[in-house]
Amino acid sequence: MFPSLLTVLSLTIRKAVLKCVTTLHPRSLTIFLKARDKEWLPILTPSKPYRNITRNATRATSTVVQEQLKSNSLYLEKCKENKLTVDWSVMLQEDKSFFVINTSFIQMTISAITFEEFALWSGWIESRIVNLVATLEQNRDLKITPLITLFKSSQNNYPFSVVYFIGLRLIEKARPLKISIVDTIHNFDSMMNNWASETDGMNLAIKHVQR
């Protein structure tokens, strides 16, 4: 039977990890084992000293990667069974279901007056989004899906502006409770606006919106 893409990747990664582990220095081996047990998506550097290069990967990142691999695996199996030519544009196309499968969103509008301010401001905020996602993931009833696509926004007082979305939805087995993330949003907003390098020409608007 033709093996699925996910199976092939899993076996390849497992063999690579086993080969790597057998040659690790005891101290590096300890680091690897800790990463395997605590990190969502541990990936080791290919040379010594071995380090996990995805320490900032969140549960949401791991889920998105696995779901994409599963989707492409099913597509390849379908091509194999029906003797179809693999269309790589299908495998690499952007997922259009983000605004369908998620029931609510955190919407962040990052704006600035000058390009220099925008580059600094957006870089600061984007580097801290992983902290927001990690905080949201502490609620096990929520499934978090950050959208990597940025949308240009028209703001009257800010020539440079983009909108960033984080999708939220209850996991299938979660109880139908209303979950409040007001404090989480407020704390993140406060942390961003307490940046020492923030200027009057920078602005962040963050809110929770329902579909």
Side-chain angles (χ1 to χ4, degrees):
M1 182 177 179
F2 183 70
S4 67
L5 174 63
L6 188 60
T7 300
V8 172
L9 287 174
S10 298
L11 291 174
T12 303
I13 292 172
R14 182 175 299 178
K15 290 179 180 178
V17 168
L18 289 175
K19 181 179 179 181
C20 181
V21 169
T22 59
T23 60
L24 288 178
H25 184 276
R27 180 175 175 79
S28 296
L29 176 58
T30 301
I31 294 173
F32 166 75
L33 293 176
K34 288 182 178 179
R36 183 195 63 180
D37 294 336
K38 296 182 180 181
E39 308 296 341
W40 286 105
L41 199 64
I43 299 176
L44 292 182
T45 52
S47 59
K48 296 181 180 179
Y50 299 104
R51 293 290 184 268
N52 176 30
I53 61 175
T54 56
R55 294 188 61 185
N56 286 337
T58 62
R59 175 161 53 97
T61 305
S62 177
T63 299
V64 169
V65 171
Q66 291 182 54
E67 288 179 347
Q68 189 62 47
L69 287 174
K70 290 178 181 178
S71 175
N72 286 339
S73 176
L74 292 174
Y75 171 71
L76 289 177
E77 289 179 348
K78 180 180 179 181
C79 290
K80 180 66 176 181
E81 292 174 359
N82 296 283
K83 298 182 179 180
L84 302 175
T85 302
V86 174
D87 185 351
W88 287 97
S89 64
V90 173
M91 298 183 64
L92 299 176
Q93 69 182 351
E94 184 180 353
D95 186 4
K96 304 295 184 181
S97 64
F98 177 83
F99 292 102
V100 176
I101 62 176
N102 292 296
T103 55
S104 65
F105 310 88
I106 292 178
Q107 176 183 318
M108 283 184 282
T109 305
I110 307 170
S111 309
I113 293 178
T114 68
F115 177 77
E116 291 74 14
E117 288 176 317
F118 176 77
L120 290 172
W121 186 230
S122 60
W124 160 250
I125 294 174
E126 290 173 20
S127 69
R128 297 300 185 275
I129 287 178
V130 64
N131 298 334
L132 174 60
V133 172
T135 301
L136 292 168
E137 287 180 342
Q138 292 178 10
N139 190 321
R140 295 293 180 173
D141 288 337
L142 274 180
K143 188 169 185 179
I144 318 298
T145 309
L147 182 63
I148 61 174
T149 303
L150 296 176
F151 299 91
K152 290 185 178 180
S153 175
S154 298
Q155 302 292 320
N156 294 332
N157 300 323
Y158 300 97
F160 302 92
S161 183
V162 295
V163 179
Y164 183 92
F165 289 95
I166 298 176
L168 309 171
R169 66 183 186 273
L170 289 173
I171 62 174
E172 295 180 358
K173 297 181 180 180
R175 292 174 296 175
L177 299 176
K178 185 176 182 180
I179 298 175
S180 175
I181 58 174
V182 174
D183 291 340
T184 302
I185 293 177
H186 175 74
N187 292 338
F188 181 78
D189 184 62
S190 298
M191 181 175 69
M192 294 301 95
N193 286 294
N194 284 332
W195 188 37
S197 299
E198 183 183 1
T199 68
D200 293 336
M202 301 174 179
N203 184 66
L204 171 64
I206 178 170
K207 60 183 179 180
H208 182 209
V209 297
Q210 300 289 335
R211 188 178 62 191

